[in-house]
Amino acid sequence: MPPLAAGTPLALWPRTAVLLPDAREPVVLPAGCRAPLVDWCAGRTHEVPAQVQSALAPLLDDAPSDLNRVEQRLALLDERYVGWLPGFTRSRDPELRRVRAMHSRRKAWTLPRLARPTLPSSTLRRAEIIAALCGKKILLTDDPDGLGVLLATNADVTVTEPDPVRHHWLATEAARENNKLHLTTNSDIDGLFDVSVIFCGPPAASAAELGLAIRCTRPGGHIVVGMRLPWEEVMLSLAAQAGLVVERYEREIDHWLVPGLAVIDGGQDLVVYRRPEGAALPAIEAGVAATVRATPHGVLDIDSVPRATLDKTALTRFATLLAAAAPAAEEGRSLHGAHDHDVLCWYDSRGHGLTAELRRAEEHLLISIVPFDADLEYLALWAAHAVLCDDASRVRPLRTRRADKEYFFA
Amino acid sequence: MPESAQKPLYHLGDGIVLGIGSRDTQLIDLKTDGEIRIDFRFIEPLEKVSLGWSGEGYESFLPRLLQEGVIVHGPATTDPVLKTKLAALDRLYLTAYEAALSPRARRAYELTLEAHGRRKRFFTRVGQCPTLPETTLRRALLVGDAAEVGAKKILCVGDDDLVSVPLAALGHDVTVFDIDDFLLTFLRDTAAALGLTLQAVEKDLRDPLDDAERDHFDLFLTDPMSNRDCFEIFLSRAFSLVKPGARGYVAVYGPTERLFREVAAEMKFPIVAWHRRHNRYYSQYMKIHTYESDWVEIRRDAGTVVKHAANEFCVPLNLYAEQFYQRHPIFFGFYDEIEEPRFATPLYLDMILDIAEGNSPLKLTARHTILGQEWTVIHGSTDDGHLTVHVDRARRQLTMTLFPMRAESEDVLRHAFMSGYKPKATQAKMSSSRDVWDLRIR
Ligand SMILES: C[S@@+](CC[C@H](N)C(=O)[O-])C[C@H]1O[C@@H](n2cnc3c(N)ncnc32)[C@H](O)[C@@H]1O
């Protein structure tokens, strides 16, 4: 059998390992596979144990690991989504190749924390903006796509990364490039940085990120925030109350990637704040109820679902993948069909879940997540792409609704 | 002698725009967000005044319009309110690339913004919904600067986006075909005011083409409605008007990619590049539309066939309809800090749903309960959608999801939830967009 190598399409979700063959639907691997695969992907073991290898063997034959294929696919997606940005892709060809190569050497996908993996072009655009800021000591609180490695070419970069698989990937990439990248699993940072890069999440997480950034950024330095729906309200208001000053608002710079290499339409913004002397984090309402109150629900719309997957069995496969990937075990599900639509209602043991309605005539999938849960959002997007979508399917753009103070949609 | 030389001219005041829809027409004041419905008899004079006009035949109305600031003295110019608002919207996207623009591209942008800032009348009835000036510029930049790629004979098949302006500014020889004579006059006036040259020709694309026009242009750009009829007519005409081998750019709404590829296969034209999320649009309120589209580069090949012969009339059924799914709104009701969580158990929730079924058109064909320690989900399928009720007794929060939103059923459910769980509610907040209704009770 071919050895399991970097580039093998694997997802190591919180409770299971999933193989992502090129031409077929993902395969949930037997229960014992995850832990040894995590060890291997985290660099703790040099080889995948024989029993896992033999469980994988029949599946791997037609899922050859092909680094070039990953790079080609990413190049195609970069071209589709930012090929038109005046002066961008053509003048950055070597840099983009470098980021794509880094992506292709990733051994596995894991559940993102606050930031989402993005297209190589997004990573590069962010890196350019951050690198142009004053000061060479940079802190990143999350790094799912190698931004830290890029920045470390010319700066002294610290990344907090508790996920062992991403940690190992970043360390290996930095070592390859002889970069000064300090990786820590501990979010208890001390030291003063010129630039802190943070992300938004539910109110408590946003506040924790911002608090850390205010503490760790020198007055006059910069705090750079990845701003996403639906939490831009929370973060923009916290940052304004904290006295941060917007210096640059780069809209829709990030295009999210899901395993299987599909892009989610929409995009996350990048906001560059100056941290003034005397910035202070305001108090926020604490507790789970407050988190839910801030974002009780979320909606995903997927258009142009191909006719071949517009049925109950596809929705069942979607539920199977979701159940395998979710952070908590399935508590229950129901699947009903009517003449023109099928509905799945799925919940996990924490009471987090979603309702997904597949409408045949409209070729549409509507997913409502109640209460809103970003992990389930990401996993539902992945699962939908894996079993229900093709290249012409589109997620209705997930975009922030305002920049700084202005709402601009109507 | 033209009348303008004799009589004083008037134009719409700063921040005033005329929006002509398929159902009604309004004058919108962007400074105050005020709106006035306009009787159809006044559309024509208001269109004229939006281009700068003497008001001939309407003299008796002038003093009042002047007094209210709807019109002001002088020929039409760039409206500073529009220009400022559009420039602010553009900035959201321009920051990503303005550093890469050449001086000529920058000038093309300034002229495009100026042109958009002069347009005071919006005609949604024929599917007009313009792109942001910055998008208009990017379209022209994909064609290229004539100084680098050579001057091209370019055809704009419809041009409410005013892409002819940056194309002319970049040195190309530009012709616009459009059905809207107001737009054509506006383009001519604007080009003259900005020192540009372009040809604006009134043409209904459904009519046959003149022989002399065929195989003439080097390149075309078009933003049709994303439906089969409109794709077929606009592209058939465009392919007949350009030379063999010529490039074209077409706007396609993302979810209609499959349909567009079908049309491409049938008409046998190659798709050269697909630029996703290239086009951003704005409305007459100077806000960004949630709608956006892709920009697709195609080519007229030796084998390309048209669906409508150049010398024939086309009779489309659906020219201005959008052939994609406009989802019904989904309703979310969030009941926070519910007062009697011990009554938020499956037994009581089932009773509430029974009441709702008895008193509203809501009919659940199947009901299913998922039971957690502290929470319950009751889910039901309806003949046209679903209902999900989620309650967490520890957090004291209840959420109801109803798709599609049905006012009668929602009303009955809300009364039941309110009397059961929020008899002393102090806050209710409702927000709604086309897709989502969001009610929060606390
Ligand atoms: C079809 S509209 C749609 C564009 C718009 N930006 C959108 O996608 O929402 C584009 C242009 O075509 C013009 N147009 C509409 N019907 C036409 C026809 N039958 N012949 C010529 N031009 C037409 C309109 O006046 C407008 O300027």
Side-chain angles (χ1 to χ4, degrees):
Chain A
M1 66 160 268
L4 202 55
T8 298
L10 265 182
L12 299 174
W13 300 131
R15 295 175 303 108
T16 50
V18 177
L19 190 73
L20 313 163
D22 216 359
R24 284 185 297 121
E25 280 185 12
V27 186
V28 181
L29 298 176
C33 290
R34 183 183 177 276
L37 284 171
V38 169
D39 284 341
W40 176 66
C41 291
R44 295 177 198 136
T45 52
H46 288 295
E47 265 173 58
V48 178
Q51 73 271 25
V52 177
Q53 296 243 12
S54 54
L56 286 173
L59 304 166
L60 276 178
D61 282 337
D62 55 349
S65 52
D66 183 352
L67 299 186
N68 274 338
R69 194 200 60 87
V70 174
E71 289 177 54
Q72 280 162 12
R73 171 81 183 154
L74 289 171
L76 176 94
L77 294 174
D78 273 334
E79 191 54 38
R80 253 187 215 167
Y81 280 88
V82 290
W84 45 263
L85 197 62
F88 186 73
T89 35
R90 257 153 290 284
S91 61
R92 309 292 199 292
D93 195 50
E95 292 89 342
L96 284 169
R97 282 173 190 277
R98 176 180 166 208
V99 189
R100 287 180 202 131
M102 221 158 72
H103 265 274
S104 72
R105 288 189 292 263
R106 183 200 284 276
K107 284 185 180 169
W109 299 76
T110 49
L111 189 64
R113 197 175 69 88
L114 292 178
R116 300 284 173 260
T118 62
L119 277 180
S121 51
S122 308
T123 315
L124 183 62
R125 288 177 64 198
R126 259 182 289 128
E128 289 183 359
I129 291 175
I130 295 166
L133 299 172
C134 279
K136 293 289 170 234
K137 213 165 150 357
I138 304 175
L139 169 68
L140 264 71
T141 60
D142 200 0
D143 187 6
D145 51 16
L147 175 66
V149 180
L150 295 188
L151 289 170
T153 311
N154 288 307
D156 181 359
V157 180
T158 300
V159 176
T160 58
E161 185 51 88
D163 178 272
V165 172
R166 287 198 292 268
H167 191 108
H168 179 64
W169 173 61
L170 292 171
T172 314
E173 290 301 325
R176 248 185 118 88
E177 310 226 351
N178 269 325
N179 272 352
K180 285 191 296 270
L181 183 70
H182 310 287
L183 276 158
T184 159
T185 51
N186 187 352
S187 61
D188 221 8
I189 300 288
D190 48 24
L192 216 47
F193 295 83
D194 299 308
V195 181
S196 299
V197 183
I198 61 171
F199 298 88
C200 55
S206 287
E209 290 275 301
L210 194 60
L212 176 77
I214 292 175
R215 191 156 52 71
C216 295
T217 312
R218 68 168 166 82
H222 289 96
I223 296 178
V224 178
V225 185
M227 208 62 92
R228 59 155 290 181
L229 181 81
W231 291 313
E232 77 273 24
E233 299 287 341
V234 173
M235 190 54 115
L236 286 167
S237 124
L238 283 175
Q241 290 176 63
L244 305 192
V245 185
V246 179
E247 274 193 1
R248 181 165 183 174
Y249 204 115
E250 206 59 53
R251 193 167 168 73
E252 298 179 26
I253 193 166
D254 282 345
H255 289 95
W256 293 349
L257 275 180
V258 293
L261 290 181
V263 176
I264 307 307
D265 275 17
Q268 177 169 278
D269 310 339
L270 191 77
V271 188
V272 178
Y273 287 102
R274 196 167 42 73
R275 183 226 189 274
E277 191 86 53
L281 186 72
I284 61 150
E285 213 186 355
V288 197
T291 296
V292 174
R293 184 171 301 131
T295 42
H297 43 71
V299 186
L300 301 170
D301 274 283
I302 303 182
D303 283 303
S304 198
V305 175
R307 269 163 225 141
T309 56
L310 282 166
D311 60 18
K312 222 164 158 172
T313 61
L315 212 48
T316 308
R317 300 200 303 278
F318 169 80
T320 306
L321 285 189
L322 190 66
E330 174 171 323
E331 185 67 51
R333 73 170 84 165
S334 84
L335 186 60
H336 290 294
H339 72 284
D340 60 349
H341 67 275
D342 297 306
V343 196
L344 166 78
C345 181
W346 182 94
Y347 273 81
D348 71 15
S349 57
R350 303 166 305 167
H352 286 218
L354 52 80
T355 307
E357 178 163 325
L358 192 57
R359 297 184 80 90
R360 273 183 280 281
E362 296 86 354
E363 301 172 355
H364 185 83
L365 178 68
L366 170 69
I367 299 177
S368 57
I369 305 175
V370 173
F372 178 72
D373 176 315
D375 290 341
L376 288 184
E377 175 197 51
Y378 189 73
L379 294 171
L381 286 168
W382 162 67
H385 268 280
V387 297
L388 288 159
C389 298
D390 65 10
D391 230 25
S393 309
R394 297 290 277 271
V395 177
R396 290 209 191 155
L398 299 171
R399 311 167 277 207
T400 56
R401 294 148 294 185
R402 58 180 185 148
D404 204 8
K405 294 180 191 71
E406 281 269 352
Y407 289 88
F408 41 72
F409 284 114
Chain B
M1 206 173 188
E3 70 175 3
S4 58
Q6 305 154 357
K7 294 194 175 163
L9 295 181
Y10 302 94
H11 64 277
L12 287 181
D14 290 347
I16 309 275
V17 297
L18 177 66
I20 308 174
S22 33
R23 256 162 280 140
D24 45 29
T25 295
Q26 294 122 349
L27 268 181
I28 301 161
D29 185 344
L30 296 166
K31 301 186 297 302
T32 60
D33 289 334
E35 267 184 39
I36 322 171
R37 280 277 281 278
I38 298 297
D39 188 277
F40 72 95
R41 284 168 301 160
F42 295 110
I43 295 178
E44 202 195 318
L46 282 168
E47 282 189 296
K48 284 188 182 165
V49 82
S50 79
L51 289 170
W53 183 49
S54 65
E56 194 167 352
Y58 291 83
E59 285 81 358
S60 60
F61 293 96
L62 296 179
R64 183 137 169 247
L65 292 175
L66 276 168
Q67 193 198 339
E68 294 188 357
V70 172
I71 61 171
V72 290
H73 291 283
T77 65
T78 300
D79 181 328
V81 176
L82 262 64
K83 189 177 164 185
T84 309
K85 284 183 183 274
L86 287 172
L89 297 181
D90 273 350
R91 295 231 48 84
L92 296 170
Y93 302 102
L94 257 177
T95 50
Y97 62 87
E98 65 183 336
L101 297 180
S102 69
R104 269 167 69 89
R106 270 167 206 275
R107 180 173 162 272
Y109 172 70
E110 288 305 327
L111 295 176
T112 308
L113 178 61
E114 205 69 33
H116 279 260
R118 293 172 68 95
R119 186 225 323 253
K120 310 266 283 172
R121 168 271 208 184
F122 292 80
F123 195 37
T124 51
R125 202 179 291 169
V126 291
Q128 288 184 0
C129 162
T131 51
L132 282 176
E134 72 81 35
T135 295
T136 303
L137 172 75
R138 284 189 284 103
R139 287 181 175 180
L141 291 178
L142 283 181
V143 172
D145 186 333
E148 287 155 28
V149 300
K152 307 229 180 288
K153 264 192 271 172
I154 298 179
L155 174 65
C156 300
V157 182
D159 192 26
D160 58 331
D161 303 321
L162 316 184
V163 69
S164 51
V165 170
L167 286 168
L170 291 172
H172 296 289
D173 172 4
V174 194
T175 303
V176 175
F177 282 4
D178 206 292
I179 193 175
D180 177 8
D181 59 343
F182 169 94
L183 178 73
L184 298 163
T185 310
F186 167 81
L187 277 172
R188 282 182 211 113
D189 291 357
T190 299
L194 302 179
L196 300 170
T197 320
L198 52 82
Q199 288 79 48
V201 183
E202 184 171 347
K203 172 92 57 193
D204 186 336
L205 296 165
R206 289 169 288 197
D207 296 342
L209 301 172
D210 294 339
D211 279 345
E213 296 164 337
R214 298 180 52 181
D215 303 336
H216 179 72
F217 296 95
D218 299 320
L219 195 146
F220 72 87
L221 294 87
T222 188
D223 191 334
M225 308 298 284
S226 279
N227 67 58
R228 180 174 267 278
D229 279 349
C230 205
F231 283 149
E232 288 181 355
I233 293 179
F234 278 49
L235 293 181
S236 292
R237 293 312 191 214
F239 282 132
S240 300
L241 291 158
V242 295
K243 297 173 189 160
R247 265 191 294 162
Y249 290 93
V250 197
V252 179
Y253 179 57
T256 60
E257 175 170 343
R258 215 180 291 283
L259 167 70
F260 187 81
R261 286 189 186 276
E262 268 167 40
V263 173
E266 291 161 22
M267 293 177 66
K268 300 192 169 60
F269 60 80
I271 293 173
V272 181
W274 198 292
H275 303 294
R276 284 198 169 175
R277 306 190 64 226
H278 180 279
N279 306 316
R280 322 289 168 115
Y281 300 82
Y282 68 95
S283 71
Q284 60 212 29
Y285 301 102
M286 302 301 129
K287 295 273 186 185
I288 295 186
H289 253 287
T290 47
Y291 175 87
E292 57 185 37
S293 71
D294 300 346
W295 192 234
V296 183
E297 186 182 332
I298 59 178
R299 206 176 50 233
R300 175 180 166 184
D301 241 11
T304 300
V305 288
V306 294
K307 288 270 179 169
H308 299 280
N311 57 357
E312 283 171 10
F313 283 95
C314 325
V315 210
L317 295 172
N318 251 328
L319 199 53
Y320 303 120
E322 296 285 14
Q323 195 168 317
F324 50 81
Y325 178 44
Q326 303 268 19
R327 167 164 77 62
H328 294 289
I330 182 168
F331 177 89
F332 291 104
F334 178 61
Y335 299 80
D336 203 356
E337 295 173 337
I338 55 174
E339 280 159 38
E340 297 289 354
R342 67 204 158 96
F343 294 134
T345 53
L347 178 71
Y348 292 99
L349 293 170
D350 262 326
M351 274 163 50
I352 289 183
L353 295 191
D354 290 342
I355 294 171
E357 288 201 69
N359 295 288
S360 81
L362 181 79
K363 290 288 166 284
L364 300 175
T365 50
R367 221 188 267 188
H368 186 94
T369 306
I370 305 175
L371 287 174
Q373 273 285 341
E374 299 280 11
W375 56 270
T376 301
V377 168
I378 298 194
H379 169 77
S381 197
T382 63
D383 57 2
D384 63 348
H386 68 263
L387 169 79
T388 305
V389 179
H390 177 284
V391 61
D392 188 308
R393 291 174 290 276
R395 284 195 265 112
R396 294 172 47 214
Q397 290 170 325
L398 182 148
T399 308
M400 178 198 91
T401 312
L402 179 64
F403 178 76
M405 153 71 178
R406 293 275 178 251
E408 268 178 278
S409 309
E410 190 277 315
D411 195 54
V412 171
L413 285 162
R414 179 163 26 85
H415 278 103
F417 288 136
M418 290 295 286
S419 58
Y421 305 120
K422 289 297 296 177
K424 298 194 286 266
T426 53
Q427 284 177 35
K429 215 178 89 197
M430 178 76 199
S431 58
S432 64
S433 64
R434 208 192 57 203
D435 291 341
V436 177
W437 292 51
D438 184 339
L439 173 70
R440 303 196 185 186
I441 309 264
R442 194 167 175 184

